[in-house]
Amino acid sequence: MRDGTPVTLYCFAHAGAGVSGFAHWRGLTGPGVVTAPLLLPGRESRRREPRATTRDELLAALLGPLADELADGRPYAFYGHSLGGVVAHTLARALVDRGLPAPELLAVGASPAPHTVPVRQDDDITDERLLRFVADLGAAPGGALADPGSVWHRSVLPVLRDDLVLAAALRTAALTDPAPGPLPVPVLAVGGRDDPVVHAAALDGWARWTTGRFVRRTVPGDHFFVRGPHAPRLIGRACRVVRRTRLVPGLISGGQL
């Protein structure tokens, strides 16, 4: 890692979302960190592209361009929120398997470790199940948006459905990959204090997926704490530790993060 080179923080959003939720991160991660949200196909500016529902489709959409960006050896880190956590892990695994430098830090938020979620193949996810899912997260729409046939139903539910299929596929692949095992990457797992669905035990499970240092932190907020100020400040501080210490094993301690 070159002295003075900022850490590029690639961010991956939760199911059903694009990257607009990371817009405020640029002003909150602090000095020495360049926030770079990566958009999955099928939403926002990539809405006309087919959505990825398998590991191979995800890698086809993101891995090549990302590998090209990282060919210059720049220091970088990943942050993935909910679905984005397993997306980030999948990309980190693929980059390492390609012989490219691993991220200096893998940070996940509101994202259970792959082995802590029952593996299921979701071939037909009904609208009713999707609505229960968003209700459990405290994200169900109100008013006119709650009506069947509303803009929310037509635009959000199809993306959310495919993203849940993708999440199941990535967790399955993580457990059955031909070269499974922990990554040589320190992991920071972040949970929301009032998250109704992802609890400490599921976050602690990420310790199994790294040969480096594992740290868990809790921030104010519910499952969508990514929208507040606490997560970007925490992740930005972690990236500065990465930059300063080059993450020699053991140097991320409870006091430093």
Side-chain angles (χ1 to χ4, degrees), residues 70-111:
L70 299 174
D72 62 1
R74 71 182 65 184
Y76 74 101
F78 282 161
Y79 175 74
H81 194 81
S82 197
L83 163 70
V86 71
V87 169
H89 174 267
T90 299
L91 287 168
R93 175 82 265 169
L95 289 165
V96 169
D97 290 346
R98 271 196 175 195
L100 291 166
E104 305 285 350
L105 175 70
L106 172 61
V108 298
S111 183

Side-chain angles (χ1 to χ4, degrees), residues 190-196 198-199 217-223 225 230:
V190 186
R193 185 177 300 154
D194 301 313
D195 190 331
V198 181
H199 304 295
R217 291 288 177 264
T218 303
V219 297
D222 57 16
H223 188 75
F225 62 81
H230 303 285

Side-chain angles (χ1 to χ4, degrees), residues 2 8-10 34 36-38 62-76 78 95 98 100-101:
R2 298 185 298 273
T8 301
L9 175 62
Y10 293 101
V34 177
L38 289 186
L62 296 182
L63 184 60
L66 184 58
D68 290 342
E69 284 191 26
L70 299 174
D72 62 1
R74 71 182 65 184
Y76 74 101
F78 282 161
L95 289 165
R98 271 196 175 195
L100 291 166

Side-chain angles (χ1 to χ4, degrees), residues 7 59 70-71 74-75 88 90 97 101 109 125 134 155 173 180 184 186 224 231 251:
V7 176
L59 295 181
L70 299 174
R74 71 182 65 184
T90 299
D97 290 346
I125 303 177
V134 296
S155 60
F224 299 103
L251 284 185

